[in-house]
Amino acid sequence: MNTIIITIIVSLFVAFILGVLLGLFKKIFAVQVDPKVQAIQDVLSGGNCGGCGYAGCAAFAEAVVKGEAPANGCIAGGASVAAKVGEIMGVNVSAQKKVTILACKGTNECAVSRGSYNGIKSCAAAALAINGTKLCSFGCIGYGDCVSACPFDAISMGEDGIPKVNYKKCVGCGKCAKACPKHLFSIVDADIKGSVALCSNRSDNKPSIKKNCSVGCIKCGICVKKCPEKCLQLVNGIPVVDYTKCTSCGECIKACPDKVLELAQDIINK
């Protein structure tokens, strides 16, 4: 009985000594953190999406305080978070909400399959192994790497085999763009207005484009010719719009024989 009591007393004494030592070590080796860093971290979205260019919200907060990152750098947080961070830092900031647009309409119905693929069901793996699952080597592979990468559950795979973006959830963090091996996603301002090409096929082989995908851009240039504002040009075979000139008149969309072009605002506001 005495042995048990002595053991308990010794254990409590050792625990007390260890607690005191841990407290001392914490004070001695404590790293001083600027209170602004924690204040900024508290108002961030907490998604750790990396859209700001840093490993996570904590790293971004430290960078802002050090002057290495802009106060409006939290893409996921948008204007409201930018304003709060600016208030903490004592600066006036503004932020534009961003979203992503997929530049491919190559659904299972429109794009011809390359054949049966038995490898790892990942876009990155399929791209490395056979350059994609479709005869159009620029098209969406369809295994949903973008879906897995999205930290905001804003992308899902449609029954037609290509990703669908939920613009109520999308914050334009860019994770999908980084995950896509075909580089099919573009990050744009949420209030963008003007036509956008939903095709990324840069091949100049017109017959094969039409054969491989019924909605592929065949580089006919009719959209460029029909644009009354002269704000369209073909760059590497893809229609590119100068949004400082585009009036969303829709003439290029009407002229396109394969309906490659759509108004960005219609896509985002569906």
Side-chain angles (χ1 to χ4, degrees), residues 102 123 140 145-146 175-185:
L102 175 71
C123 299
C140 173
D145 287 17
C146 53
K175 285 283 189 177
C176 55
K178 292 177 182 177
C180 178
K182 295 297 182 178
H183 311 292
L184 298 178
F185 289 95

Side-chain angles (χ1 to χ4, degrees), residues 227-268:
C227 177
E229 306 300 329
K230 306 300 179 186
C231 63
L232 261 170
Q233 60 178 322
L234 291 180
V235 179
N236 295 324
I238 303 297
V240 175
V241 180
D242 181 347
Y243 292 106
T244 64
K245 297 179 181 179
C246 184
T247 62
S248 300
C249 67
E251 291 301 318
C252 59
I253 296 172
K254 296 175 187 175
C256 179
D258 291 318
K259 306 305 177 188
V260 170
L261 293 155
E262 289 187 30
L263 289 178
Q265 60 266 39
D266 289 348
I267 296 170
I268 296 169

